[in-house]
Amino acid sequence: PSACVASDLAVAYLGQQGATGHGVLGFALRNITTHSCHTYGYPGILFLSKTGQGLPTDPTRTTRDFFGPAPAHPLTVAPGATVSFRLGVTHGVVPGEPCTTAFGLQVIPPDDTHTLVAKIGNGGAYECRTATVTPLLSGTSAYPPS
């Protein structure tokens, strides 16, 4: 199958959780086409303000974060199927970092340069510029419900 690109996908916010000064935000990409596509790797991200303006964002790719392992695997995404990723953020003031609330996330699929935007519900997410990003995982396994 061809690569999964932004025009093949819809992005959704799955939710957020927090523990001991760390927060995790989950996002899903759903194949909205009638054909399978393939993907591998990490999405590009940019936190967004309430008005949709970009916020300072310093992502770090990881296959293991505070919330557990997230190994990278090539994925085939069937029509209607979902892949997901999570962001790890710090809750609390980080010296020298501008902390604010992000109300959205701009996402660039691994095999594309075009963007998708997800609104972050429940009043947004507190973030301090830095975030760990996991590779795409099958289904919603990157962000299992608590």
Side-chain angles (χ1 to χ4, degrees):
S2 61
C4 297
V5 294
S7 61
D8 296 334
L9 304 167
V11 64
Y13 170 68
L14 297 173
Q16 62 182 306
Q17 301 174 30
T20 63
H22 297 272
V24 62
L25 290 81
F27 294 89
L29 296 170
R30 185 173 52 87
N31 182 347
I32 58 173
T33 71
T34 58
H35 62 276
S36 293
C37 60
H38 73 84
T39 190
Y40 174 80
Y42 300 84
I45 63 152
L46 177 68
F47 289 117
L48 302 173
S49 70
K50 197 172 215 172
T51 61
Q53 299 299 309
L55 296 170
T57 307
D58 185 13
T60 302
R61 296 173 174 183
T62 186
T63 56
R64 182 176 241 345
D65 59 15
F66 183 81
F67 302 94
H73 298 289
L75 301 169
T76 298
V77 189
T82 299
V83 293
S84 61
F85 65 97
R86 68 179 175 256
L87 303 179
V89 296
T90 302
H91 284 168
V93 176
V94 177
E97 295 293 341
C99 297
T100 189
T101 300
F103 291 91
L105 186 74
Q106 180 177 288
V107 178
I108 304 170
D111 299 301
D112 202 359
T113 58
H114 293 90
T115 63
L116 300 164
V117 174
K119 292 185 188 240
I120 299 175
N122 303 323
Y126 189 72
E127 57 84 20
C128 295
R129 182 183 197 145
T130 60
T132 59
V133 183
T134 66
L136 294 175
L137 300 176
S138 182
T140 58
S141 62
Y143 182 77
S146 60

